[in-house]
Amino acid sequence: MPERVSTSPDKNVVDLSKASRNAGLNRTIRETRAKLQNGDAGSTQFQRESLTLFIDASLDSAAAVPILACGIGAFSLAFNMGQYTLVWALTTLIVHAIHVFALQQIKSRQLIKDETAANWTRRLLALQLAIGFCWALFASQSCTSCDIGSYLTFKGAALLIVLSATALTSSMLNGAVLVTFLPTVAAIVYLYWRDREPMEIGLIAMFTAAMVFFVFFTGRLRRTSIQLLSYQSEKDDLIAELEVAKSISDEARRRAEDANLAKSRFLASMSHELRTPLNAILGFSEVMEHEVLGPMSNSTYKEYVGDIHRSGQHLLNLINEILDLSRIEAGRYELHEESVKLEEITEDCIGMVQLRARAKNIRITEQFETGLPPVWADEKSMRQVILNLLSNAVKFTPQGGEVAVKLGWTAGGGQYVAIRDNGPGIPEDEIPVVLSAFGQGSIAIKSAEQGTGLGLPIVQAILAKHNGEFVLRSKLREGTEVIAILPPKRVLQTVPAVREAHSNEKRRRSFA
């Protein structure tokens, strides 16, 4: 049967039923990690990005080549270096215009794709080679009427400027510097072979060394840029992955909160429906157990009735605790606050557990500070807190043990109730389990009476409603201490009576 998925907008931020969700993102992340694991060899994976950066840099500096060509041409004409320079300058400008137009078309149409990046690399290198032939034509020129030293100096300076400018703009195109100026080196070598001018050897050596240096320099610059691209790609993919994970987490948390709230509302609204039949069971079983309407001849039936009553009482206590916790979680637990004294509440709770303590020969000691003022709290809730903590202490304390109850001031001006027993204690790693709903420690399960595991969560929730704090300290085989703390703002300090002040007598007006 196909799985049905709710399509309501408040239930699906991310469709958790699709096995192929985030497939594109996962594929991109795997590809990026593969690129990074390949090291320098992985730079080929960023060919499209590299070509895009090369095109942008070339278009941004498109005016540099016309300026250089016009400047070199004007300088050549000023020093009568031949009419051939005009032809060269015009050819260079035309080739450069074609180059810029081609780059603009490639960028505007977004022709470079990942699968065609290698082909476009060869085409762009072909355009660079065409520009290189233009500079080779300039390098092959000669001037018979010029001083050979001055002419070679001018030519070398011009070629070095062009070489450095090209290296800066085309560093992202692998092999661009070598392809562009290798024809120039060949032209200078041919010129030396033709004229046998000794000074041209220095030009050849200088320009070749400069070209090798710039090839190495652009290679390092390109590898650095590729590394930055890889870091950027990894960061973008990780951000996307985190965003998807956050969306899934938020949706899962929202669904869990909705489910928990629905559960809490359901249980809070089922108070009457659950308690009414249980109270009937308890009442009728108690009547039968005490034989109010007549004796029960069969002793086994009487024993069964006692079991029914005890089981019903346990179930009612469990339901009451669940409903209390559910009402708190659902926000339907209201505090009826009034002025109460913790000392009186604590003494009443000690009296309620005294019978169970005597049955186990447990001694309960009291240590109360005198003169404690009342606090502003819900008496029923605080009674439930102290009674739960005392019941747990008596429950987990072995035969002949001791439970110490302290009541006093906190360092900040609040009041606390501390209850310490010498029971088996709780292992440190089990304390979070004990403080969670339905959580019970391993030692408690083995040695204590049956419980629900809701007492301490209810205590924490009630104290939180009072802006208080709950502290649990325990050591294995040494005992446990629990502290319920109320903040200073809930302590009602006694204000001294205001003394009646006598009004000043009116001064008589005197007219001098």
Side-chain angles (χ1 to χ4, degrees), residues 1-6 17:
M1 179 182 295
E3 182 180 2
R4 295 184 178 179
V5 181
S6 174
S17 65

Side-chain angles (χ1 to χ4, degrees), residues 282-296 302 305:
L282 289 173
F284 290 135
S285 61
E286 190 172 356
V287 169
M288 297 171 66
E289 184 180 13
H290 292 85
E291 301 178 340
V292 175
L293 301 179
M296 187 177 296
K302 187 175 182 180
V305 170

Side-chain angles (χ1 to χ4, degrees), residues 134-353:
C134 294
W135 294 114
L137 290 176
F138 169 74
S140 63
Q141 294 183 51
S142 59
C143 182
T144 57
S145 60
C146 303
D147 178 66
I148 186 64
S150 301
Y151 180 70
L152 290 178
T153 301
F154 163 71
K155 183 187 292 186
L159 290 176
L160 286 178
I161 293 173
V162 173
L163 175 61
S164 60
T166 304
L168 291 176
T169 58
S170 61
S171 60
M172 294 305 297
L173 182 60
N174 191 21
V177 175
L178 186 63
V179 169
T180 304
F181 292 100
L182 196 59
T184 303
V185 174
I188 297 174
V189 172
Y190 169 76
L191 195 63
Y192 168 74
W193 178 79
R194 188 189 66 183
D195 299 337
R196 300 294 178 176
E197 179 62 43
M199 295 185 64
E200 291 181 351
I201 296 178
L203 178 61
I204 295 173
M206 179 187 66
F207 188 78
T208 304
M211 186 185 69
V212 172
F213 168 76
F214 278 110
V215 168
F216 173 77
F217 171 76
T218 54
R220 291 296 299 270
L221 185 61
R222 182 174 179 274
R223 283 193 292 271
T224 302
S225 300
I226 292 298
Q227 191 174 18
L228 293 177
L229 284 174
S230 66
Y231 291 156
Q232 181 68 32
S233 177
E234 182 185 27
K235 184 193 74 172
D236 294 341
D237 292 333
L238 290 178
I239 289 175
E241 186 177 13
L242 288 175
E243 288 178 351
V244 173
K246 183 178 180 299
S247 299
I248 296 175
S249 175
D250 291 344
E251 172 64 11
R253 178 179 58 82
R254 188 184 67 81
R255 292 186 176 187
E257 290 176 352
D258 291 344
N260 185 60
L261 185 60
K263 177 263 299 180
S264 300
R265 288 175 176 172
F266 168 75
L267 292 176
S269 64
M270 290 295 290
S271 173
H272 176 73
E273 287 76 5
L274 292 175
R275 285 173 174 169
T276 300
L278 271 177
N279 287 329
I281 294 174
L282 289 173
F284 290 135
S285 61
E286 190 172 356
V287 169
M288 297 171 66
E289 184 180 13
H290 292 85
E291 301 178 340
V292 175
L293 301 179
M296 187 177 296
S297 58
N298 195 325
S299 59
T300 305
Y301 285 168
K302 187 175 182 180
E303 183 180 350
Y304 288 165
V305 170
D307 292 339
I308 292 173
H309 185 270
R310 285 189 296 272
S311 300
Q313 189 67 46
H314 173 72
L315 184 57
L316 181 60
N317 294 334
L318 174 61
I319 291 175
N320 288 334
E321 291 182 344
I322 292 176
L323 291 175
D324 288 339
L325 188 61
S326 300
R327 280 200 302 269
I328 294 173
E329 292 179 350
R332 298 176 59 180
Y333 191 92
E334 297 181 358
L335 298 179
H336 301 283
E337 298 169 310
E338 57 183 334
S339 176
V340 297
K341 284 195 172 184
L342 288 182
E343 182 179 359
E344 297 177 357
I345 297 176
T346 306
E347 289 178 350
D348 291 344
C349 292
I350 291 175
M352 295 173 68
V353 300

